[in-house]
Amino acid sequence: GEAFFPCYRWVQGDGIICLPEGTALTVSDDPQNLFKTQREQEVEARKTVYRWGSWKDGLILPIAGSSRQDLPRDQRFLEDKDLDFNFSLAKGLKDLAIKGTLELAICVKRLEDFKKVLVKETPLAARVLDCWKDDALFGYQFLNGANPMLVRRSKSLPARLLLSPGMEDLQTQLEKELQAGTLFEADFSLLDGIKPNVIIFQQQYVAAPLVMLRLQPDGKLLPMVIQLQPPRHGSPPPLLFLPSDPPMAWLLAKIWVRSSDFQVHQLQSHLLRGHLVAEVISVATMRSLPSLHPIYKLLIPHFNYTMEINTLARSTLVSEYGIFDLVVSTGSGGHVDILQRAVSYLTYRSFCPPDDLADRGLLDVTSCLYGQDALRLWGIISRYVNGMVGLFYKSDEAVTCDPELQVWCREITEIGLQGAQDRGFPLCLESRAQLCHFLTMCIFTCTGQHASAHLGQLDWYSWIPNGPCTMRKPPPTSKDVTEKDVVDSLPNLQQARMQKTFVQFLGRHQPVMVALGQHKEKYFSDPGPQAVLKQFQEELATMDKEIEIRNAQLDLPYEYLQPSKVENSVTI
Ligand code: OYP
Ligand code: FE2
């Protein structure tokens, strides 16, 4: 079989010498071409083991294989992870089955009744239960919740926001905030026209809301207006919901937004931009860099278990008759459309927080703790990468003249990401700075990017009305809304239980985990790279402590980019 680190041999005198496993050499570090053939052979062999697959047209590429058994041995869960994963999933499903039988008699008639399927998992989940109706908590989630990737500062009033006569007050307020630079928007147009699921003969519903928000001087982001659907040609302009509306109408509008955010978060931010992009980087690396290559050694700890968890997701979560088809409003095909649409937003800039936050106007929003922490973590990873690259590439020319590195970059952009050069990804690397930026993006995507989209699930989705996986009634067309209308719109008991089970399973603390930068394997035997890794670990430890201290002083802690909580690779 294949091995992460086969032995590189060479002949000296009449003996054969095996290169120590921790040796890192680029092609130009070997002017006598002692290892040229072995490098080529290793890469050729790996290309036959690590083949690109195809899951759906128009998506970025996965590893070949339709079940975990098809994967290369090196990519399989080891026993501890395998046991923990299977055991906790089995327990979740068993509880689901037992409760499903015992609680057949209970029914959900009031919003309170959702407490019957709630476990107060975390202090933050308990807060959500208490304060979920507050506008402040609704706005807060766009900055620091499960999906901080959507909100942006408005540059103009969105074209879809048609203000009918009689709305002059709102118009004035919006323009005032816009002038002051404190107007923000969360636009779910990605969901517009997505075909909703039909679950056991029952039609489900999807909307594509727009939320306008204002940033207060105290850092609070507050909703000003919600439009649940974009305007349609020939139809009257869609209803606008306001904080001053009857409480149930305003609440239902916010619930619709939360359900839309659940879809966009899970599919675009979590699955596509976290899991699937990490898999592209990992497959491309296995296919194009020999184990002797310093960049292979630098990146390999950030690929652990990614192929297996993603293969599982494709075969049970987003597959035909999978969890999405069973209980999520975008399941049964809509979810694949969303993923395909979201591919066109995979820009290089959006994967690099300094650029992404600048583009979204969030750089100076200090109450966006996600943004602050993402910038800081990006900086730490960037210094780590710069340290390593500086050891192995002494000039820009050393980068341009590394044929393996160039092939690797092209494999990611052109093949794995299916033509991402059109979205600003590099086809070749022309300088050390460009290489460092690209590597920082790779490591951040496999760690911080995924963590920030994964770790919020338990906190924000345990209370079903704050992130319903499906909606069973169409969006309201009048402001005459009762509590019964709201409850009838939310997931039914079975769907709510299923959401609870999977959110618990995915969001639970991972007993088998390696935190960012904490891998025990020594991939480099030289003192140089070891010192750079140690410096990285020290900076991470400092950030970890400072976040701990900051969070202790905050009303709501932000923990999803705390280095000790960020996994070293996408594993769940
Ligand atoms: C893979 O029933 C993953 O066997 C979780 O996916 C669970 C399984 C397999 C096993 C399922 C089974 C991990 C990685 C991922 C991702 C991103 C999307 C997450 C969406 C979660 C949706 C929760 C559904 C609530 C109803
Ligand atoms: Fe995940």
Side-chain angles (χ1 to χ4, degrees):
E2 72 289 352
F4 273 143
F5 294 95
C7 166
Y8 272 78
R9 297 177 198 82
W10 53 301
V11 183
Q12 194 176 51
D14 28 71
I16 292 183
I17 300 195
C18 206
L19 212 55
E21 208 176 88
T23 314
L25 300 175
T26 63
V27 172
S28 51
D29 295 330
D30 174 27
Q32 289 175 281
N33 286 336
L34 285 177
F35 305 113
K36 185 168 185 285
T37 326
Q38 285 171 75
R39 299 178 91 102
E40 287 166 4
Q41 282 171 352
E42 190 189 6
V43 169
E44 276 321 303
R46 276 237 230 88
K47 278 188 186 157
T48 65
V49 178
Y50 292 87
R51 285 171 300 104
W52 291 112
S54 65
W55 181 55
K56 301 280 177 187
D57 284 346
L59 290 185
I60 60 178
L61 300 188
I63 181 78
S66 48
S67 81
R68 37 206 314 208
Q69 286 83 21
D70 300 336
L71 293 172
R73 287 197 62 79
D74 280 340
Q75 299 298 331
R76 297 295 310 277
F77 291 170
L78 292 178
E79 198 179 8
D80 56 347
K81 168 83 174 172
D82 199 50
L83 281 173
D84 175 58
F85 183 92
N86 293 329
F87 203 78
S88 100
L89 182 60
K91 180 173 181 323
L93 296 176
K94 187 199 78 181
D95 290 353
L96 182 67
I98 292 177
K99 294 236 173 63
T101 326
L102 290 180
E103 294 172 2
L104 263 179
I106 73 167
C107 57
V108 181
K109 284 220 171 67
R110 313 211 41 209
L111 281 165
E112 296 277 300
D113 296 337
F114 278 100
K115 286 186 187 157
K116 293 173 186 164
V117 291
L118 179 89
V119 237
K120 277 186 204 154
E121 295 287 348
T122 63
L124 199 43
R127 274 295 286 274
V128 174
L129 175 61
D130 289 339
C131 307
W132 70 287
K133 291 180 182 170
D134 295 355
D135 285 0
L137 199 67
F138 176 81
Y140 177 88
Q141 291 180 68
F142 288 109
L143 295 175
N144 302 314
N147 185 25
M149 298 305 291
L150 191 70
V151 76
R152 54 197 314 133
R153 196 186 299 252
S154 303
K155 296 201 178 101
S156 58
L157 290 189
R160 63 174 277 187
L161 189 67
L162 300 182
L163 296 166
S164 38
M167 297 233 127
E168 288 79 12
D169 270 4
L170 177 63
Q171 171 108 28
T172 314
Q173 282 171 33
L174 289 166
E175 271 161 10
K176 197 186 104 219
E177 300 293 340
L178 182 66
Q179 294 305 318
T182 47
L183 187 66
F184 287 75
E185 63 196 59
D187 189 344
F188 295 85
S189 288
L190 189 73
L191 300 175
D192 187 23
I194 289 295
K195 192 165 174 274
N197 203 352
V198 176
I199 303 173
I200 326 182
F201 308 111
Q202 282 200 346
Q203 183 66 54
Q204 312 292 301
Y205 297 88
V206 176
L210 167 72
V211 190
M212 302 304 297
L213 309 111
R214 65 186 167 90
L215 183 66
Q216 291 190 155
D218 65 0
K220 284 203 175 99
L221 193 64
L222 294 175
M224 301 173 73
V225 54
I226 294 173
Q227 181 197 49
L228 289 179
Q229 295 284 32
R232 298 256 174 267
H233 206 72
S235 304
L239 208 55
L240 298 180
F241 292 86
L242 303 168
S244 56
D245 282 341
M248 275 300 156
W250 178 238
L251 185 65
L252 184 54
K254 287 191 291 181
I255 289 175
W256 263 103
V257 172
R258 297 302 321 137
S259 181
S260 309
D261 203 27
F262 179 95
Q263 313 298 325
V264 168
H265 164 241
Q266 292 292 15
L267 293 167
Q268 182 177 34
S269 305
H270 184 197
L271 183 58
L272 180 64
R273 300 176 57 90
H275 285 257
L276 302 183
V277 173
E279 183 177 358
V280 163
I281 300 169
S282 115
V283 175
T285 307
M286 298 312 284
R287 285 176 59 81
S288 39
L289 295 181
S291 57
L292 198 58
H293 200 289
I295 301 306
Y296 176 89
K297 289 172 183 288
L298 171 68
L299 293 178
I300 188 123
H302 305 295
F303 303 147
N304 198 29
Y305 295 157
T306 304
M307 295 183 205
E308 176 152 350
I309 194 67
N310 286 0
T311 302
L312 267 162
R314 278 187 292 273
S315 59
T316 57
L317 215 53
V318 286
S319 56
E320 204 177 352
Y321 309 117
I323 307 302
F324 262 73
D325 285 11
L326 281 180
V327 286
V328 182
S329 60
T330 54
S332 301
H335 64 307
V336 179
D337 281 339
I338 294 170
L339 289 168
Q340 286 164 338
R341 289 179 185 192
V343 167
S344 53
Y345 297 99
L346 298 179
T347 63
Y348 190 35
R349 289 181 67 83
S350 71
F351 281 91
C352 307
D355 299 324
D356 177 56
L357 293 163
D359 293 348
R360 294 198 285 137
L362 290 173
L363 277 180
D364 57 358
V365 179
T366 49
S367 56
C368 183
L369 304 169
Y370 156 77
Q372 307 287 301
D373 293 356
L375 285 176
R376 180 154 186 199
L377 191 58
W378 173 272
I380 293 175
I381 295 173
S382 167
R383 284 189 286 284
Y384 170 55
V385 164
N386 275 273
M388 287 294 193
V389 166
L391 292 173
F392 295 98
Y393 296 89
K394 296 299 178 196
S395 65
D396 288 344
E397 212 202 343
V399 171
T400 54
C401 294
D402 183 339
E404 291 167 342
L405 195 66
Q406 299 295 337
V407 167
W408 167 75
C409 173
R410 198 175 251 276
E411 182 92 2
I412 292 178
T413 297
E414 201 173 33
I415 318 257
L417 295 177
Q418 295 277 284
Q421 62 269 29
D422 301 343
R423 288 171 256 121
F425 277 83
L427 275 179
C428 60
L429 299 164
E430 286 164 339
S431 64
R432 291 202 294 179
Q434 215 191 346
L435 169 61
C436 288
H437 195 75
F438 192 64
L439 287 169
T440 305
M441 181 280 295
C442 290
I443 297 178
F444 186 82
T445 299
C446 296
T447 58
Q449 174 72 37
H450 170 258
S452 69
H454 183 97
L455 294 177
Q457 296 182 87
L458 206 51
D459 290 335
W460 299 101
Y461 296 153
S462 288
W463 176 241
I464 309 293
N466 190 59
C469 58
T470 188
M471 296 294 278
R472 295 182 298 135
K473 290 269 179 277
T477 49
S478 99
K479 295 188 179 179
D480 201 2
V481 174
T482 63
E483 183 172 356
K484 181 175 188 311
D485 295 328
V486 177
V487 172
D488 289 348
S489 299
L490 285 165
N492 65 29
L493 188 61
Q494 288 71 23
Q495 294 166 333
R497 280 211 198 96
M498 194 85 120
Q499 170 167 340
K500 190 205 77 171
T501 302
F502 282 95
V503 161
Q504 253 186 309
F505 173 67
L506 289 169
R508 89 197 156 102
H509 168 75
Q510 294 294 310
V512 182
M513 80 89 98
V514 178
L516 178 55
Q518 306 302 318
H519 45 281
K520 291 281 168 286
E521 297 79 2
K522 249 201 199 169
Y523 293 111
F524 295 93
S525 49
D526 279 1
Q530 286 181 17
V532 172
L533 176 61
K534 187 155 170 282
Q535 174 70 27
F536 180 47
Q537 291 167 343
E538 281 166 10
E539 287 194 44
L540 290 168
T542 307
M543 174 169 171
D544 199 69
K545 263 194 236 109
E546 289 181 15
I547 291 192
E548 199 77 52
I549 293 167
R550 176 198 69 190
N551 284 349
Q553 296 159 344
L554 285 172
D555 182 31
L556 297 174
Y558 185 76
E559 303 178 328
Y560 311 144
L561 287 174
Q562 194 175 342
S564 59
K565 301 209 162 74
V566 173
E567 281 200 71
N568 213 22
S569 61
V570 177
T571 72
I572 185 68

